[in-house]
Amino acid sequence: DQQVKQNSPSLSVQEGRISILNCDYTNSMFDYFLWYKKYPAEGPTFLISISSIKDKNEDGRFTVFLNKSAKHLSLHIVPSQPGDSAVYFCAASVTGNQFYFGTGTSLTVIP
Amino acid sequence: DAGVTQSPTHLIKTRGQQVTLRCSPKSGHDTVSWYQQALGQGPQFIFQYYEEEERQRGNFPDRFSGHQFPNYSSELNVNALLLGDSALYLCASSSGRFQGAGGYTFGSGTRLTVV
């Protein structure tokens, strides 16, 4: 049972434009949400997080939005840079212990 | 400051064999979690070790077992390997069991191929 879903396997964006990556979840008990970025042959790298008491968290070019009523999470990257090209995973947890990951979205930023 | 170190990087085993994967956590971290990432999938939680005990376990059979040593390093053992065990095995470390805001630090993984 896939509790966290990323329905877009891939996304291509022009350099300088906004990248929007989406994630849906089914478990209303999730209270921590994270985004990880993964380059080939490397482990996932923590990018940004948000707790269920917030609806937005911003860190530089990266902003995560949480819509609890829709059980939807999104990551905005503005402006997108070629170095952002990677696979992005969203993950969710109850109490920040065991994390459930989505299947990932491969982002390509075109120079 | 070394991050999470996993060994070996790649491994090929025959169906039915046993395998041991190793992980050294990031300096200052005391909790190790293991994840399995099959091709085209996201990482799936196997189990977590804290204070040398398994604290939480995902939906994996007893063929998967682990250990944590006093220096916080950890091993993942898989017995009676199946073709479906072929995957990237990721070790993640953290300071404490609960990582809501900060997330884990992941290693680069061990690529296990079962033939």
Side-chain angles (χ1 to χ4, degrees):
Chain A
D1 178 27
Q2 191 73 23
Q3 299 193 45
V4 178
K5 297 180 182 179
Q6 293 176 259
N7 292 318
S8 298
S10 62
L11 175 68
S12 290
V13 171
Q14 288 288 125
E15 181 179 2
R17 305 293 292 268
I18 184 171
S19 296
I20 300 176
L21 295 94
N22 294 303
C23 179
D24 297 297
Y25 61 95
T26 57
N27 188 345
S28 58
M29 297 298 292
F30 285 146
D31 56 1
Y32 284 104
F33 304 88
L34 279 63
W35 284 94
Y36 281 88
K37 175 180 179 180
K38 187 178 186 301
Y39 293 116
E42 294 183 13
T45 302
F46 171 73
L47 195 57
I48 192 169
S49 66
I50 189 168
S51 73
S52 59
I53 62 172
K54 294 186 173 183
D55 55 18
K56 176 183 173 181
N57 189 27
E58 196 170 352
D59 184 2
R61 297 186 296 114
F62 302 91
T63 302
V64 56
F65 295 92
L66 176 62
N67 183 334
K68 291 184 288 294
S69 61
K71 295 191 181 68
H72 180 81
L73 190 69
S74 64
L75 175 68
H76 292 208
I77 306 173
V78 182
S80 300
Q81 299 174 354
D84 296 330
S85 297
V87 177
Y88 289 78
F89 291 98
C90 68
S93 167
V94 178
T95 73
N97 200 343
Q98 169 184 345
F99 278 90
Y100 295 86
F101 283 78
T103 53
T105 296
S106 179
L107 173 65
T108 301
V109 180
I110 303 164
Chain B
D1 180 24
V4 178
T5 305
Q6 292 187 244
S7 63
T9 306
H10 296 85
L11 202 52
I12 299 176
K13 288 287 190 178
T14 303
R15 190 171 45 183
Q17 284 188 316
Q18 180 264 345
V19 69
T20 297
L21 310 181
R22 294 177 176 82
C23 171
S24 293
K26 180 179 178 179
S27 178
H29 286 183
D30 57 6
T31 303
V32 172
S33 301
W34 287 92
Y35 282 79
Q36 180 196 66
Q37 185 179 10
L39 199 61
Q41 302 297 314
Q44 287 198 25
F45 178 76
I46 303 175
F47 42 52
Q48 181 190 72
Y49 276 84
Y50 173 73
E51 292 185 338
E52 302 180 47
E53 289 190 18
E54 183 183 296
R55 299 293 179 169
Q56 192 167 8
R57 188 179 185 91
N59 189 24
F60 279 80
D62 292 344
R63 298 186 297 109
F64 290 77
S65 63
H67 190 77
Q68 186 179 36
F69 299 94
N71 67 352
Y72 309 121
S73 67
S74 177
E75 289 182 348
L76 164 65
N77 301 293
V78 187
N79 293 322
L81 284 166
L82 303 174
L83 296 179
D85 295 331
S86 296
L88 179 69
Y89 288 84
L90 293 163
C91 172
S93 74
S94 56
S95 178
R97 292 183 56 198
F98 302 100
Q99 289 303 312
Y104 301 117
T105 299
F106 279 92
S108 298
T110 294
R111 173 72 62 187
L112 172 65
T113 302
V114 182
V115 297

